[in-house]
Amino acid sequence: MLGTTIPTPLYPIYQQRFGFGELMVTVIFATYAVGVIAGLVLTGRLSDEIGRRRVLLFGLACSAASTVLFLIAQGVPVLLVARVLSGLSAGAFAGTATATLIDLAPEGKRDTAAAVAVAVTLGGLGLGPLLSGALAQTGEIPLRLPYWTHLGLLVPALAGVLVAPETVKVRARPRYAPQRLAVPSEVRGTFVRAGIGGFSAFAFAGLFGSVGPSFLARFLGYPSHVLAGVVLFVLFMSSVVGQFAVVRVRERTALVAGDCATVLAALLTIVALEVESLPLLIVAGCAAGLGQGLAMGGGVAALAVETPAERRGEVNATFYVVLYAGLVVPVVGVGLLSQPAGLRTAGVALGAAMAVLAGAAGASLLARKEPATASPARP
């Protein structure tokens, strides 16, 4: 997961090296989310048939191939392929690694295993830009050193997967079927409300993860690669806090709190861009991370309460597709709008649009009668 966010602080260097603008930055970033969605759909049920280890090895192979492509990239096409492979690796690990940890956990510790999986995933996403920003700031082969470091980190990861016990019985004749995407009618209302809030929250992760470094350099006067990594690190660490907060409140409370945090993130982002304030932008990142963690954790918990057990897999997969669509659609819209209107205006427009969406989702949740089956949320 660390490898998937390594490119973020390096986008300004790629822009100078290959001569492209913000629109292409957002497209390159968006291809990662497309890869994640493909990985979730293609491998979501595969590990039940061929074993967890094989899917994890596939994810590591995609991660290594992506890193090698970044090392040899001499233009945009190779960067796009590298990002798709990086997304495939994240999609393969997102469900399978979590399932593996839960399988290995003793009875009574499975909630802890799930929480550890969330913390490791989001922690890796946060540490990626922090590592690459620090290495790039040294000025020593900034487009090489972060990726060589990541390849080195994949070696113990490979060893860990190889020595870990297989937790499912591999079928003699595996049957492959992509993960089905569907939402049963009885859960559709909750899905729409949670999905809108999650889509809005993930839009800010996309905004900070793609053109965040440009905001810092162009409008705030901070071209530091380290600072670009710190801002995204703060966002993902705040998301960890949001995820762990979910287990202490009811599902609807978590979702409403996530929507409120996203609205706050939107307002702070708009003000930070208008007054060119670094502290406000960092606080906006904190609020965006909290909103993301609460929206994702609260959404999964709320859907688990109302969804029939035999359909949870397809509903969860559909929910994650909506979340990752939030990484793609708004940020590409920012890239398109930045062409005629400028990057600052595009960022403000995204903030305003996502504030409206998150606010509407939160108001709808408050107006809806809470189901009698509601229970304390779980990750």
Side-chain angles (χ1 to χ4, degrees):
M1 300 307 293
L2 181 151
T4 65
T5 50
I6 279 179
T8 294
L10 309 179
Y11 285 139
I13 304 176
Y14 283 120
Q15 286 182 266
Q16 293 177 357
R17 184 74 55 89
F18 300 145
F20 55 80
E22 273 73 32
L23 175 58
M24 186 53 64
V25 170
T26 62
V27 170
I28 293 171
F29 179 86
T31 56
Y32 160 72
V34 172
V36 173
I37 292 172
L40 288 169
V41 172
L42 295 176
T43 67
R45 299 166 60 185
L46 189 58
S47 68
D48 294 330
E49 300 287 332
I50 68 172
R52 310 282 194 230
R53 184 186 290 119
R54 291 179 181 177
V55 175
L56 294 177
L57 289 173
F58 167 76
L60 287 175
C62 287
S63 185
S66 167
T67 303
V68 170
L69 287 178
F70 274 116
L71 280 168
I72 66 174
Q74 296 298 320
V76 171
V78 177
L79 294 180
L80 292 171
V81 176
R83 286 305 275 161
V84 170
L85 287 172
S86 181
L88 279 173
S89 73
F93 260 81
T96 304
T98 301
T100 303
L101 287 178
I102 293 173
D103 291 343
L104 290 170
E107 286 294 332
K109 295 289 186 180
R110 292 188 173 177
D111 279 356
T112 302
V116 168
V118 168
V120 169
T121 297
L122 294 172
L125 292 171
L127 287 171
L130 197 62
L131 173 68
S132 63
L135 293 176
Q137 195 65 37
T138 66
E140 299 295 331
I141 48 175
L143 297 184
R144 298 288 183 271
L145 190 56
Y147 299 112
W148 281 118
T149 303
H150 180 240
L151 282 178
L153 291 173
L154 287 176
V155 174
L158 173 62
V161 170
L162 290 175
V163 302
E166 179 57 71
T167 60
V168 300
K169 184 177 180 181
V170 180
R171 297 178 184 269
R173 294 184 178 180
R175 295 173 297 172
Y176 173 69
Q179 175 65 61
R180 185 183 175 201
L181 302 178
V183 181
S185 58
E186 61 266 35
V187 76
R188 205 160 287 160
T190 297
F191 184 93
V192 170
R193 293 174 177 87
I196 291 174
F199 180 94
S200 305
F202 269 63
F204 285 96
L207 183 71
F208 279 73
S210 57
V211 295
S214 295
F215 286 154
L216 289 170
R218 187 179 304 181
F219 305 129
L220 276 64
Y222 294 99
S224 167
H225 303 302
V226 175
L227 185 58
V230 167
V231 171
L232 201 57
F233 175 78
V234 166
L235 187 151
F236 282 115
M237 291 305 98
S238 299
S239 189
V240 174
V241 173
Q243 283 279 344
F244 281 110
V246 166
V247 300
R248 300 185 179 278
V249 297
R250 299 181 79 85
E251 296 90 355
R252 186 168 69 169
T253 303
L255 288 173
V256 172
D259 291 331
C260 291
T262 300
V263 171
L264 178 61
L267 297 177
L268 288 172
T269 299
I270 291 171
V271 175
L273 291 176
E274 291 294 343
V275 304
E276 301 182 355
S277 169
L278 175 62
L280 281 180
L281 192 66
I282 293 175
V283 176
C286 289
L290 281 172
Q292 181 187 46
L294 288 165
M296 182 164 62
V300 170
L303 292 170
V305 169
E306 299 182 33
T307 304
E310 68 276 7
R311 303 199 65 179
R312 283 177 186 161
E314 62 193 42
V315 171
N316 281 342
T318 309
F319 183 61
Y320 278 109
V321 167
V322 171
L323 296 183
Y324 278 97
L327 285 178
V328 177
V329 179
V331 77
V332 172
V334 166
L336 290 170
L337 185 58
S338 69
Q339 300 292 94
L343 183 59
R344 191 201 307 264
T345 300
V348 169
L350 179 137
M354 294 307 108
V356 170
L357 280 179
S364 179
L365 282 164
L366 289 173
R368 184 194 186 202
K369 183 178 180 181
E370 191 168 8
T373 54
S375 62
R378 291 291 182 267

